[in-house]
């Protein structure tokens, strides 16, 4: 089987690593890929958004199976382009990816189908939003409707901050058209857990749980980022909570999408908050998380192609999804200054230290080749994942392995997975 993977970050590196293990796969291409993905795949310089070129390439190379991994191309209908060309594809169509691409849509869906979530109202005018704010409890959460690189959520601790926030989103258009509508949401408290689920549109199979650390600095300080590290599983996601979510969140969400004529095939990522009133949905994503994929995929026991193909074919009910009974921690090595401004182009040393080391992985997020060397090429550079018998040893292993790699301006958090020590 020939596989094309669309994307070029750490999530796609983890996916490519798993695809390369499949006995059914003879050749992998990645568009655009990166210096790490190049170990397993032939990288082709086509933008993830260029549906026309991607489809032409897939036809030319007689690709059997395409995996569209990032949010932007899914929201723009890149999976549709492959499917409409008759190419088997993993990833939801545009009309289903809207569950991530529009927070107003996902809130309406949850309300209509009684899926537990924070109380909220959606506005398309700043005046009406500001008027409603006067009646809101503080703190309050503002969410730009559209995709905003994970930065479109503002938690406001005063009324003045919230007023400023509405102006930033709706009038100054800091997040562009993503801010044409705003969701004003009740502030919730509790542990956060991410559960990524495979779905074929009818059946939904939750994967092992994970948790992301979104803020740039230790102890959850500093700006929001794409994710500075993850651990899996979450010790707070008990069997009882899992059962509740399966019955009250995952199954109803997939059934709701089907009922709306928006069959969801791919990975549904459910961001949950375990509130004192029970689990509630924070957000949906229409894809694997990054860096959640870097801790969940290494623990997957199945052949990932079998599972992904079952999602595309509608035969997921035949799959027995299995994860190793261990734990994983991923520490993101970033460029100092991320997420604001940072330099690129520094040589990355020590990558060979991971060769032949079982249970240690280096997943490239922002890297490229330059003069035969691998250099930094983004804010998030490399995710170092390690497995352990439990979370505490996985964390110890991961932090040890972060020392094996070096580059100028290397920055990381030192408390990834720390919550687990409180257990
Ligand atoms: P989202 O992109 O919707 O996941 O939001 C980003 C982050 O903002 C979440 O991971 C939470 O930490 C926080 N957040 C979002 N919605 C709420 C809420 N209603 N109450 C408290 N925190 C929230
Ligand atoms: N790590 C969060 C995300 O991928 O959206």
């Amino acid at each position: 089987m020939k596989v094309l993977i669309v994307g070029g970050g750490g999530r796609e590196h983890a996916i490519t690593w798993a695809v390369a293990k499949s006995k059914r796969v003879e050749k992998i291409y990645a568009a655009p890929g990166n210096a790490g993905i190049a170990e397993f795949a032939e990288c082709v310089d086509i933008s993830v958004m260029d549906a026309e070129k991607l489809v032409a390439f897939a036809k030319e190379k007689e690709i059997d199976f395409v995996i569209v991994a990032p949010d932007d191309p899914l929201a723009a209908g890149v999976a549709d382009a492959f499917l409409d060309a008759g190419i088997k594809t993993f990833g939801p169509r545009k009309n289903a990816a809207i569950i991530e691409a529009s927070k107003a849509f996902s809130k309406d869906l949850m309300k209509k189908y009684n899926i537990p979530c924070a109380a909220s109202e959606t506005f398309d005018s700043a005046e009406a939003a500001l008027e409603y704010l006067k009646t809101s409890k503080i703190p309050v959460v503002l969410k730009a409707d559209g995709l905003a690189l994970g930065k479109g959520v503002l938690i406001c601790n005063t009324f003045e901050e919230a007023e400023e926030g509405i102006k930033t989103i709706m009038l100054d258009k800091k997040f562009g058209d993503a801010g044409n509508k705003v969701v004003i949401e009740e502030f919730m408290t509790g542990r956060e857990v991410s559960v990524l689920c495979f779905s074929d549109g009818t059946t939904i199979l939750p994967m092992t749980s994970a948790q992301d650390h979104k803020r740039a600095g230790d102890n959850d300080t500093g700006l929001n980022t794409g994710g500075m590290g993850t651990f899996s599983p979450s010790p707070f996601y008990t069997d009882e909570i899992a059962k509740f979510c399966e019955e009250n969140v995952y199954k109803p969400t997939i059934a709701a999408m089907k009922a709306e004529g928006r069959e969801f095939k791919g990975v549904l990522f459910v961001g949950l908050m375990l509130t004192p009133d029970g689990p509630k949905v924070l957000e949906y994503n229409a894809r694997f998380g990054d860096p959640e994929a870097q801790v969940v995929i290494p623990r997957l026991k199945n052949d990932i192609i079998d599972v992904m193909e079952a999602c595309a074919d509608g035969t997921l009910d035949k799959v027995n999804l299995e994860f190793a009974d261990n734990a994983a921690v991923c520490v993101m090595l970033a460029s100092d200054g991320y997420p604001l401004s940072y330099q690129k182009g520094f040589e990355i040393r020590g990558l060979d230290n991971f060769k032949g080391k079982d249970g240690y992985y280096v997943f490239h997020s922002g890297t490229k080749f330059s003069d035969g060397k691998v250099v930094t090429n983004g804010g998030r550079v490399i995710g170092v994942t390690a497995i352990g018998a439990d979370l505490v040893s996985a964390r110890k292993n991961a932090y040890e392995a972060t020392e094996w790699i070096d580059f100028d301006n290397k920055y990381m958090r030192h408390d990834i997975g720390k919550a687990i020590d409180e257990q």
Side-chain angles (χ1 to χ4, degrees), residues 103 141 143 153 185-188 192 214 282-283:
K103 293 200 187 282
V141 182
K143 300 186 171 183
V153 174
E185 190 169 282
E186 162 201 21
F187 176 76
M188 304 188 290
E192 286 185 40
K214 286 204 172 80
L282 276 172
E283 63 161 349

Side-chain angles (χ1 to χ4, degrees), residues 103 107 118-119 140-141 143 150-155 185-189 192 212 214 224 269 271 273 281-285:
K103 293 200 187 282
K107 294 297 307 202
V140 70
V141 182
K143 300 186 171 183
K151 299 188 180 95
V153 174
L154 305 178
I155 297 185
E185 190 169 282
E186 162 201 21
F187 176 76
M188 304 188 290
T189 55
E192 286 185 40
D212 186 11
K214 286 204 172 80
N224 259 322
F269 168 140
M273 191 169 261
V281 177
L282 276 172
E283 63 161 349
Y284 294 112
N285 294 319

Side-chain angles (χ1 to χ4, degrees), residues 207-222:
M207 297 179 225
T208 181
S209 60
Q211 190 182 322
D212 186 11
H213 297 259
K214 286 204 172 80
R215 306 286 283 272
D218 285 0
N219 301 314
D220 289 333
T221 53

Side-chain angles (χ1 to χ4, degrees), residues 320-332:
N320 178 26
L321 199 60
E322 285 188 291
F323 287 86
D325 184 18
N326 57 16
V329 167
C330 172
V331 180
M332 191 58 72

Side-chain angles (χ1 to χ4, degrees), residues 45-66:
D45 191 16
I46 305 175
S47 156
V48 299
M49 299 301 282
D50 195 338
E52 211 172 302
K53 266 200 189 149
L54 288 169
V55 171
F57 177 81
K59 283 186 174 162
E60 182 199 321
K61 298 292 182 189
E62 299 179 328
I63 299 291
D64 303 292
F65 193 61
V66 178

